[in-house]
């Protein structure tokens, strides 16, 4: 029996998100608002071999370039990810995600008693204390957030 390797075809234009920590691809799709009812052509590779990470996930989205807020959310759950912008089958831009020092209105505090989780008219504000691994600290109550960050995305 001859072993054949399956390949995912290149995309004409769109975005390839590479070097996602294994198991996080579905969270990336959630951030991008992509569900099973999408019209977009999306390729998802999970737990593929990687020299750099051991195992990684990859998400390809055709005919779409990501907004800055989407890239920032991806950086929260996949701090080592790279974004490749593809046009006419060529990578025209490639960059690593990078978290800003302060994130406003993207992640809610996990402390239910925090003022940002009450009816006060303020947006959640997180200070980035570490980028890989991601360590966030609430600006208002000083509560750290280091695990299950995807669950707290707004």
């Amino acid at each position: 029996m001859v072993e054949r390797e399956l390949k995912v075809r290149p995309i004409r234009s769109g975005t390839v998100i590479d070097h996602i920590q294994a198991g996080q691809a579905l969270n990336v799709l959630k951030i991008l608002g992509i569900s099973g009812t999408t019209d977009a052509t999306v390729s998802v590779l999970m737990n593929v071999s990687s020299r750099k990470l051991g195992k990684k996930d990859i998400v390809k989205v055709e005919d779409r370039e990501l907004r800055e807020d989407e890239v920032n959310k991806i950086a929260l759950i996949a701090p080592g990810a790279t974004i490749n912008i593809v046009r006419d089958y060529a990578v025209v831009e490639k960059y690593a995600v990078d978290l800003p020092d302060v994130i406003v209105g993207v992640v809610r505090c996990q402390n239910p008693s925090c003022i940002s989780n009450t009816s006060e008219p303020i947006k959640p504000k997180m200070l980035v204390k570490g980028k890989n691994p991601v360590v966030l600290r609430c600006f208002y109550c000083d509560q750290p957030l280091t695990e299950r960050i995807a669950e707290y995305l707004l």
Side-chain angles (χ1 to χ4, degrees):
M1 178 185 218
V2 177
E3 187 175 323
R4 290 180 18 185
E5 186 175 333
L6 297 176
K7 303 269 186 192
V8 175
R9 70 175 183 81
I11 60 175
R12 176 184 299 269
S13 64
T15 303
V16 178
I17 308 159
D18 196 358
H19 302 104
I20 302 167
Q21 292 170 318
Q24 292 295 327
L26 297 179
N27 285 326
V28 169
L29 293 177
K30 182 179 174 184
I31 287 168
L32 300 178
I34 296 172
S35 66
T37 60
T38 185
D39 288 336
T41 301
V42 179
S43 301
V44 178
L45 293 89
M46 297 179 72
N47 296 311
V48 296
S49 294
S50 167
R51 289 187 307 260
K52 186 175 163 184
L53 300 172
K55 297 251 184 216
K56 69 178 179 178
D57 293 354
I58 302 168
V59 174
K60 294 182 175 188
V61 184
E62 290 197 42
D63 300 321
R64 179 169 172 191
E65 293 185 15
L66 305 185
R67 299 184 317 263
E68 183 179 353
D69 64 309
E70 293 171 324
V71 173
N72 288 342
K73 286 181 181 180
I74 290 168
L76 287 167
I77 61 163
T82 55
I83 308 292
N84 298 279
I85 305 300
V86 179
R87 295 188 190 124
D88 292 323
Y89 295 106
V91 175
V92 296
E93 186 179 350
K94 181 176 182 169
Y95 59 93
V97 297
D98 187 32
L99 281 173
D101 294 332
V102 179
I103 301 170
V104 180
V106 174
V107 182
R108 68 178 170 84
C109 181
Q110 68 179 352
N111 175 2
S113 301
C114 179
I115 192 169
S116 67
N117 286 323
T118 64
S119 59
E120 294 294 325
I122 58 170
K123 289 185 177 181
K125 186 175 187 179
M126 292 287 180
L127 305 175
V128 178
K129 295 298 186 181
K131 295 189 178 190
N132 198 355
V134 175
V135 177
L136 305 176
R137 189 165 296 280
C138 179
F139 176 80
Y140 303 106
C141 74
D142 215 31
Q143 175 79 32
L145 179 60
T146 59
E147 296 177 356
R148 301 182 346 262
I149 293 172
E151 294 175 24
Y152 296 94
L153 292 173
L154 297 173

